[in-house]
Amino acid sequence: MLSPEILEYYQRGGEQERLTAGAGRLEFLRTWDVLTRTLPPAPARILDVGGATGIYARPLAEAGHSVRVIDPVPEHVTTSGALDGVTAAVGDARDLPEADGSADAVLLLGPLYHLGDRADRLTAWREAARVVRPGGVVVAAVISRYASMLDGILKGFFADPAYVSMVDRTLTDGVHSHRGQVPRWFTSAYFHHPDEPAAEAAEAGLTAARTVAVEGPAWLTGPRLLEFLDDDHLRGVMLDHLRRVEAEPSLLGASSHLLTVAHRPAV
């Protein structure tokens, strides 16, 4: 289901803390904000595909939802399956072990950026559309086409010619071909142009697809971002303003991550 390189990257355990410490908290807070405004009220059955260690499954279960995590990494399944109110199984986003229309909502918060072929991404979208009930919602995360370029500027990675070459390829066709040389450069992936995920959702038969920015440009503020995240007032002001501009087309490409929200047509 995953290449050895990608599997080894996740088996290092980085997903345990990535969204709960440092700048990663902004991705979590913004994703959670979108989810709370998008998902049906509890109790609902939510299928969390690529749910990793349960960073979203835990608060969803605490909110009263029934959550099932499907993930290709066995270690992730063990961790998330131990959470109260969460069940978990090893599985592939392209072939979900779930019945038609069995979920009120489906989350694809990880799979799409590890499916380099468009045909595979469409298969994942179609599987999500199959298992969600008519009228149900699918929420999918992607990494922005421009994230590695902006990250390289922010963190000084462009001093390495290998990074320059990698970003040049990504800007050309979205392929982030890393091969695991430097862990902080992520792992091999596909980075979407902001126009792509909604088009993929529509081709898979989902409707009313809309894409919003997760972090917006705020993730590029470096150490200043941590000051905002650590201050209750400043954090609230920042999140409020990011919410107000989350759908602004001119800012989508500046975000590190994007969320696309779409629906299965009602019967």
Side-chain angles (χ1 to χ4, degrees), residues 5 8-9 12 177-183 186-188:
E5 174 212 342
E8 191 274 333
Y9 175 85
R12 296 173 195 156
S177 184
H178 176 238
R179 305 304 178 198
Q181 303 100 318
V182 183
F186 196 40
T187 184
S188 292

Side-chain angles (χ1 to χ4, degrees), residues 4 7 10 15 29 51 59 80 97 102 122 126-127 137 142 148 150 161 167 171 200 202 214 232 267:
L7 181 61
Y10 284 109
E15 288 301 296
L29 290 170
S80 59
S102 58
L122 288 176
R126 290 187 178 114
E127 276 291 273
V137 64
V142 301
S148 57
L150 296 171
V167 171
L171 293 176
E200 291 176 357
V214 177
D232 290 345
V267 175

Side-chain angles (χ1 to χ4, degrees), residues 44-64:
R45 185 173 190 269
I46 298 176
L47 191 65
D48 188 0
V49 183
T53 58
I55 184 65
Y56 297 106
R58 181 197 295 270
L60 287 170
E62 291 173 346

